[in-house]
Amino acid sequence: MSGVVLTSGWVIALLVGLTVAAAVATAAFWDRGRFRVVHRAAGLLVVQLLLLVSLAAVVNKQANFYVTVGELLGQGGDTYAQTLPADSPRLSVDGGQDELAGWIAAHPAAPGRGTVIPATLAGRSTGYALPAQIYLPAGYRASAGDLPVVMFLAGYPGTVFSWLDSVGVGAALDEAIGSGRLPPVIAVMAEQDPVRGRDSECVDSALGVKSDTYLTSDLPEIIHKHFRAAQGRQNWAVAGYSTGGFCAVNLALRHPDRFGAAASLAGYFRPLIDRSTGDLYQGDLDLRRANDPRLMIGQSRPQPLDLFLTAGADDRSAQRDLTAFAPMVRAPDTALVIADRPGGHNFTTWRAILPDLFDWLDERLGGGHRTAA
């Protein structure tokens, strides 16, 4: 039961069918039986509950919050094999090139559109085999030269489909690259939670889960192996919304050799311990401090970091975090802060900020000029 995929069409159809059947049954037996008040109340209650569950399932499919029943119930477990198409390539540093070539040949992109490859990325350091969506810009195979890379991280709950299906980053990249506002880039929508149903915060936790290592060591190694990804921190950026925003800033501060730029869309800047994360640090104060952007932003690093920080004007929690953190960014680090755009903590707000994000990335990827805001 825990492996049932909630975003499957048959699951939603079943729930809708049960809702309709319950409504019909309630109407049919409305005036029958001796205890009419009881069965009428029970019928109405069942119909309303099924209606709410059906609506929740539709919203969940659109927003990509939970994939399986087990994830919804916080049971964790390895259910990632069910989240990607059966013919998706499995990529590692030791293999997968033939599978990748076959998948690309079998799924040609429309003219002017990028190719999105669903793939399992099997890491060498961690042993994790996690799903990803990899965007290659239009003309990738015909062009020469290595391309910058942007890693996109979702909030919690969220999936590797969230940036594409809910934020619409694929179509936005097509438009920005096609119009010349952004250089051709490889975009990687990465899975950040090695244990399904448990928020990793993208850290190497005291519990032994190594999300940080997977994202900053295993994933770049695989991307460099299979794609024309440019080397150097000036060619790598990381962006995230909500929890993914914390991840982006935290990872960039922890790995200045890997990322030259990080973007937080309605993120926060403090390490959390809550029901979704569990106790990631197990009382290890040094480990917790080593994953606190508020402490790390003032530390000396070999290279400065460029930050893109934004939150919708109606997103009160994110606004408080942004207002507290932004003044901590001092030269030679830079921060572009956008806090006056309308919107709350939702995909519509984050979709609307993409043009600004891409303009900012255009100035930084590939060693573009640095401007302080």
Side-chain angles (χ1 to χ4, degrees), residues 57-367:
V58 172
V59 171
N60 180 66
K61 180 177 176 61
Q62 293 176 337
N64 294 287
F65 290 135
Y66 299 98
V67 176
T68 67
V69 172
E71 181 185 347
L72 175 63
L73 299 178
Q75 296 175 352
D78 182 11
T79 58
Y80 284 116
Q82 303 175 63
T83 66
L84 297 178
D87 62 344
S88 301
R90 178 186 176 94
L91 307 180
S92 69
V93 293
D94 300 317
Q97 196 66 44
D98 291 341
E99 293 179 46
L100 176 62
W103 194 96
I104 293 176
H107 300 82
R113 300 282 298 276
T115 298
V116 178
I117 304 165
T120 298
L121 306 185
R124 178 164 57 180
S125 298
T126 62
Y128 299 150
L130 305 179
Q133 299 282 325
I134 302 165
Y135 169 95
L136 302 180
Y140 170 82
R141 287 193 291 175
S143 63
D146 296 337
L147 302 182
V149 179
V150 183
M151 183 166 68
F152 290 95
L153 302 173
Y156 184 86
T159 74
V160 296
F161 300 95
S162 298
W163 270 100
L164 289 169
D165 295 346
S166 301
V167 184
V169 75
L173 284 170
D174 286 340
E175 191 281 327
I177 294 171
S179 64
R181 290 179 45 243
L182 183 70
V185 300
I186 297 170
V188 183
M189 278 59 73
E191 177 55 62
Q192 65 219 48
D193 299 322
V195 179
R196 206 63 177 143
R198 179 64 70 185
D199 180 5
S200 73
E201 294 280 289
C202 304
V203 306
D204 283 357
S205 77
L207 299 171
V209 178
K210 297 186 178 300
S211 178
D212 183 325
T213 299
Y214 176 79
L215 293 170
T216 62
S217 178
D218 285 348
L219 185 148
E221 188 177 39
I222 295 169
I223 297 301
H224 281 301
K225 173 70 176 181
H226 292 280
F227 303 96
R228 297 199 314 276
Q231 298 281 353
R233 68 186 300 271
Q234 73 277 11
N235 292 301
W236 279 72
V238 56
Y241 68 81
S242 194
T243 297
F246 167 82
C247 289
V249 174
N250 191 45
L251 291 175
L253 286 169
R254 286 178 52 79
H255 302 276
D257 59 326
R258 168 59 61 191
F259 304 105
S264 169
L265 282 61
Y268 46 90
F269 307 96
R270 63 197 188 284
L272 293 184
I273 296 177
D274 58 21
R275 181 180 177 184
S276 65
T277 64
D279 189 354
L280 295 169
Y281 306 103
Q282 296 292 296
D284 188 335
L285 186 58
D286 289 338
L287 179 61
R288 189 166 182 174
R289 285 174 172 169
N291 287 280
D292 192 330
R294 300 169 301 178
L295 300 179
M296 290 188 292
I297 190 63
Q299 296 176 1
S300 176
R301 294 182 301 281
Q303 298 96 358
L305 178 66
D306 290 329
L307 295 172
F308 178 94
L309 308 174
T310 185
D314 301 316
D315 189 348
R316 295 183 180 180
S317 177
Q319 281 279 339
R320 285 195 298 268
D321 286 331
L322 178 59
T323 301
F325 180 76
M328 299 180 186
V329 183
R330 305 288 177 84
D333 297 328
T334 71
L336 172 61
V337 180
I338 301 177
D340 58 352
R341 303 293 175 80
H345 200 80
N346 55 62
F347 296 118
T348 300
T349 302
W350 304 327
R351 187 182 304 118
I353 205 70
L354 288 180
D356 299 274
L357 173 61
F358 293 161
D359 288 343
W360 176 81
L361 285 171
D362 180 52
E363 296 184 347
R364 281 148 185 86
L365 290 177

